[in-house]
Amino acid sequence: MAPRPAGRIPLPLLPHFSAKRSLVTCRYRCGNQCAHEPSNTSSNTYFGDLVERVLTRRGALKAGGVLALTVGGAAALSGTAAAERTRPTGGSGRPVPGTDFAPVAPNTEDRVVVPDGYRQNVVIRWGDPVLPGAPEFDFDDQTPEAQEKQFGYNNDFAGLLPLDPHGRKHLLVVNHEYTTESHMFPGYDEENPTEQQVRTAWAAHGLSVVLVERGRDGLVPRMSGYNRRITLTTEFELRGPAAGSDLLKTSADPTGTRVLGTQNNCSGSVTPWGTVLSGEENVHQYFANADRITDPVAKRRLERYGISGGPSERKWERFDSRWDVGEELNESNRFGWIVEIDPYDPNSTPVKHTALGRFKHESASVTIAEDGRVVAYSGDDERFEYIYKFVSNGKVKPGRSAHARRHNMALLDSGTLYVARFTGNSPEEEIDGSGELPSDGAFDGTGEWIPLASGNRSFVPGMSADEVYVFTREAADRVGATKMDRPEDIEPNPVNGRVYCALTNNSNRGAAGNAGPDEANPRVHNKHGHVLEIDDDPTGREFRWNLLLVCGDPQDPGTYFGGFDKSQVSPISCPDNVAFDRHGNLWITTDGNELGSNDGLFAVPVTGPERGKVKQFLTVPIGAETCGPVVTDDLVAVCVQHPGELDGASADNPASHWPDGGSSRPRPAVVAVWREDGGEIGAS
Ligand code: FEO
Ligand code: CA
Ligand code: CA
């Protein structure tokens, strides 16, 4: 294919480490987001589609010409997949390095299933000790004081940061996305949670930092001075252009710069300067009594973020009025950010970055442009929401000196925030909602990054810069961003520089009153999701894109596996988190498999003859979702989130007995997987 546009430089300052969702999961994880109409009721899709299609037809040559200057040829606007297939990587009939393992078959077993020749260990479970003095976990005697020293609930993102040059000791950093009280507390009364249960749940949110040591039996947690729990009562600093805004002030924090805690931390990433970014996602569900708000602007803005109605699911407002928007309207504005944690400094104050905008951040992932500026990509995980990127003003400083770290940790404070608009290159009538490819053989096209704000300057008519950062969804509506099918993880591939985004599903695509299919979201009632590949100039305004995968049953004609022979791939449904191995293969976890089997972790080459050959590496126990993941040369780690979280199950009636077996109740946990012979993951 054509040469890549100016892009990333290989400057990792750290080594590269590289069953359908139950109703109870919907309820506790997302606040039943999918049971409501999507929050995005803006008309911009229809307007945007119209404009995009008119522009596509009238200005195809012009657009192609502009891109030709950038990427070296208008012909590259289509046929990306075909061009990729001619690359020799992985030739000679041998599997692509990193993916040479016998795929795990779809199953519904109550265990973690790994390929033949691989072993696994449970690294750490909910309730295991993190800090000195943590009591042994006791299901029947949980306290906030104990939980503050123990590993939190529902692990999602995992990152491994090196502590020694030999690769033996690492800091494991894990997000604890949400609590499922009915599965945590025996005898839980959802109408009358006790204060002890509520405060325990606050302590079970947040993040954990744990030293782990690599040995013959996998990864083993150790007590250390680095170990840390961050919870809903840990102080955070709000930074960036909206810090101190009136929109962020509360009676407890008249400065608008200090927030207690982080919540619903979904996915994340390790930055090149050795910190962790974590996305505050479904934060709406924790706030009560929006029905007391009468001001129409405030009400509209709450609703745009899914905050409506009376009491909250967890009833936290009974124990702290900050969860009651009728009492503290601005408290909800202080959640929904990208947070940054420095795991190497257990005394550091974690940061919320206002420059990256406020929405339901799945995550944010950073790459370094050729000129040294940093670029962070982020998805807003709700149906019909948007994809964003942030380009810093400052440039990264190499090295690990205190000065360089301080400098780099301020890079996300100033820059420009953009939102994506996608334009397809196939005729509208060929995007019929079935998922079958248009006549040019690809769902593909071009796109542009629309600026929203930079520092104190707003690019959105009618909104101040503070309003753009705090009500970013509204800003994106106004500029005609493209409504996507739930953007989850979005990460740059460190080998080929392209950016990959999991769009997990969207049952409402094409439903009455909702946006219909477009080339970037080509299926109506999209149950299985798709994976987007973006060829971006990190600091530029234009990009090319194509769909690498249109997920589902390979026998379904409305699926696509990068053009690879569909009789030879593993079925995959509802892609969620992504990672890359050192060969540049894409690893994908799934959440809510709609094909009747457990969720899993999959590897797929993105170049060469095996581009699109999806292979399942592991599956997780029943009711669980696969999160993380971490893929290194000789170890894979995943977070097993919400095992046994099936409808009708509870702490008193467990549906899973993983990981402890017998009649035990399930516990979310981190699992490490390695080759029995100690060899490289997926090597021939
Ligand atoms: Fe927490 Fe978007 O998954
Ligand atoms: Ca096309
Ligand atoms: Ca996720």
Side-chain angles (χ1 to χ4, degrees):
M1 66 175 291
R4 279 186 39 69
R8 147 205 88 83
I9 54 174
L11 186 62
L13 306 181
L14 291 166
H16 175 63
F17 284 96
S18 46
K20 184 174 180 177
R21 183 187 285 181
S22 68
L23 294 175
V24 69
T25 300
C26 293
R27 182 173 172 188
Y28 283 99
R29 201 260 291 285
C30 310
N32 273 333
Q33 185 162 266
C34 293
H36 300 97
E37 281 301 302
S39 302
N40 192 351
T41 57
S42 72
S43 59
N44 98 59
T45 293
Y46 305 112
F47 174 74
D49 273 358
L50 183 64
V51 171
E52 284 157 16
R53 292 191 188 285
V54 168
L55 281 178
T56 303
R57 289 188 183 120
R58 279 195 203 145
L61 287 175
K62 186 177 170 203
V66 170
L67 278 161
L69 292 176
T70 311
V71 303
L77 288 173
S78 63
T80 302
E84 284 290 1
R85 193 160 304 293
T86 63
R87 286 192 175 187
T89 314
S92 312
R94 299 175 66 117
V96 170
T99 66
D100 189 7
F101 55 83
V104 166
N107 64 75
T108 55
E109 297 193 35
D110 192 25
R111 66 188 179 101
V112 174
V113 181
V114 298
D116 290 342
Y118 285 77
R119 293 180 61 198
Q120 60 175 294
N121 82 311
V122 173
V123 181
I124 189 166
R125 304 162 295 181
W126 166 49
D128 282 345
V130 170
L131 295 175
E136 190 173 336
F137 179 69
D138 183 347
F139 244 111
D140 299 309
D141 184 22
Q142 298 179 56
T143 66
E145 293 77 20
Q147 180 65 80
E148 282 170 0
K149 295 179 175 177
Q150 297 167 331
F151 196 65
Y153 201 72
N154 268 345
N155 33 220
D156 195 304
F157 166 76
L160 276 180
L161 293 93
L163 263 187
D164 70 10
H166 314 294
R168 294 190 64 80
K169 291 182 180 175
H170 294 86
L171 294 180
L172 171 68
V173 182
V174 172
N175 284 351
H176 302 296
E177 185 176 10
Y178 70 103
T179 47
T180 314
E181 280 74 358
S182 60
H183 286 59
M184 292 172 67
F185 305 117
Y188 181 70
D189 178 353
E190 62 189 32
E191 293 305 320
N192 295 292
T194 66
E195 182 166 0
Q196 175 123 322
Q197 289 167 337
V198 166
R199 292 188 183 278
T200 300
W202 294 348
H205 277 73
L207 294 94
S208 292
V209 179
V210 187
L211 191 152
V212 290
E213 200 163 352
R214 180 73 207 277
R216 278 188 308 182
D217 295 320
L219 276 183
V220 181
R222 304 285 188 211
M223 215 40 93
S224 83
Y226 292 103
N227 287 17
R228 185 176 189 184
R229 277 303 324 280
I230 291 169
T231 73
L232 259 170
T233 52
T234 303
E235 186 169 279
F236 279 67
E237 180 186 5
L238 275 160
R239 282 216 322 236
S245 160
D246 287 347
L247 297 168
L248 297 174
K249 292 175 179 171
T250 63
S251 55
D253 173 33
T255 70
T257 60
R258 296 274 155 175
V259 184
L260 288 186
T262 185
Q263 34 116 314
N264 216 267
N265 299 77
C266 192
S267 193
S269 67
V270 178
T271 65
W273 49 92
T275 61
V276 166
L277 301 181
S278 169
E280 294 184 326
E281 193 189 33
N282 288 298
V283 300
H284 61 293
Q285 61 183 305
Y286 301 88
F287 294 95
N289 301 332
D291 55 8
R292 288 176 55 194
I293 303 299
T294 54
D295 173 67
V297 174
K299 198 172 183 64
R300 184 190 78 223
R301 286 180 161 160
L302 287 168
E303 287 174 352
R304 185 65 186 85
Y305 281 78
I307 301 172
S308 62
S312 70
E313 171 70 44
R314 294 174 176 83
K315 315 287 187 293
W316 290 357
E317 63 274 15
R318 295 181 187 172
F319 304 99
D320 188 338
S321 61
R322 71 172 170 140
W323 305 114
D324 184 335
V325 295
E327 299 291 322
E328 286 288 356
L329 176 61
N330 286 346
E331 184 68 3
S332 63
N333 294 345
R334 291 144 61 88
F335 294 87
W337 302 102
I338 288 294
V339 304
E340 185 172 13
I341 313 289
D342 181 1
Y344 292 105
D345 181 359
N347 298 314
S348 56
T349 301
V351 172
K352 299 196 179 196
H353 283 296
T354 63
L356 275 65
R358 175 174 164 265
F359 44 90
K360 295 182 181 177
H361 282 281
E362 171 74 14
S363 175
S365 299
V366 168
T367 191
I368 303 172
E370 277 188 345
D371 66 2
R373 285 184 285 168
V374 301
V375 181
Y377 296 90
S378 191
D380 183 346
D381 180 12
E382 191 174 346
R383 293 167 296 172
F384 303 112
E385 294 299 340
Y386 308 125
I387 292 174
Y388 299 83
K389 85 170 176 182
F390 167 86
V391 181
S392 71
N393 291 336
K395 298 177 179 179
V396 75
K397 277 192 196 304
R400 300 292 306 278
S401 68
H403 173 65
R405 277 178 69 72
R406 258 198 316 278
H407 170 89
N408 293 333
M409 287 179 65
L411 288 172
L412 300 181
D413 287 340
S414 62
T416 304
L417 181 63
Y418 300 88
V419 68
R421 179 190 287 152
F422 293 79
T423 304
N425 64 9
S426 290
E428 186 178 2
E429 57 272 18
E430 291 187 10
I431 310 301
D432 62 5
S434 69
E436 294 194 39
L437 293 173
S439 59
D440 69 352
F443 295 114
D444 61 350
T446 58
E448 68 176 301
W449 295 105
I450 308 168
L452 297 174
S454 185
N456 293 326
R457 183 177 174 202
S458 167
F459 300 110
V460 182
M463 293 182 79
S464 68
D466 283 356
E467 289 173 317
V468 170
Y469 295 117
V470 177
F471 305 113
T472 309
R473 285 181 160 186
E474 184 182 333
D477 294 342
R478 292 188 184 206
V479 300
T482 301
K483 294 178 172 182
M484 307 298 287
D485 285 351
R486 289 188 56 196
E488 294 256 21
D489 220 349
I490 175 167
E491 295 203 14
N493 183 330
V495 174
N496 70 9
R498 293 186 188 159
V499 179
Y500 293 80
C501 180
L503 294 139
T504 197
N505 57 44
N506 183 351
S507 53
N508 275 39
R509 174 71 63 183
N514 292 273
D518 57 41
E519 196 160 346
N521 304 275
R523 283 191 301 199
V524 297
H525 308 296
N526 179 7
K527 285 169 60 177
H528 301 294
H530 49 282
V531 176
L532 174 69
E533 181 180 59
I534 300 175
D535 203 350
D536 193 28
D537 168 358
T539 58
R541 294 274 300 271
E542 294 167 336
F543 59 87
R544 295 179 301 152
W545 61 271
N546 75 95
L547 299 192
L548 170 68
L549 302 175
V550 180
C551 302
D553 182 344
Q555 295 186 9
D556 177 349
T559 59
Y560 176 72
F561 289 75
F564 195 78
D565 177 357
K566 293 201 285 182
S567 69
Q568 295 184 50
V569 302
S570 296
I572 182 171
S573 172
C574 302
D576 188 339
N577 302 139
V578 299
F580 303 93
D581 60 31
R582 73 180 174 93
H583 309 286
N585 300 307
L586 173 65
W587 291 67
I588 308 168
T589 66
T590 64
D591 168 19
N593 186 345
E594 284 275 354
L595 294 169
S597 50
N598 290 350
D599 278 316
L601 173 65
F602 301 78
V604 54
V606 296
T607 57
E610 297 203 347
R611 173 179 160 91
K613 186 178 182 182
V614 173
K615 294 175 81 172
Q616 184 158 241
F617 182 77
L618 61 74
T619 54
V620 294
I622 56 174
E625 164 186 349
T626 320
C627 299
V630 178
V631 181
T632 77
D633 287 358
D634 61 357
L635 183 132
V636 169
V638 292
C639 287
V640 178
Q641 197 189 56
H642 57 76
E645 200 169 272
L646 300 182
D647 296 333
S650 68
D652 303 300
N653 180 30
S656 166
H657 305 292
W658 186 89
D660 298 332
S663 60
S664 66
R665 300 176 176 110
R667 292 164 72 177
V670 181
V671 171
V673 181
W674 66 97
R675 251 171 71 166
E676 272 175 4
D677 62 6
E680 185 176 336
I681 301 293
S684 300

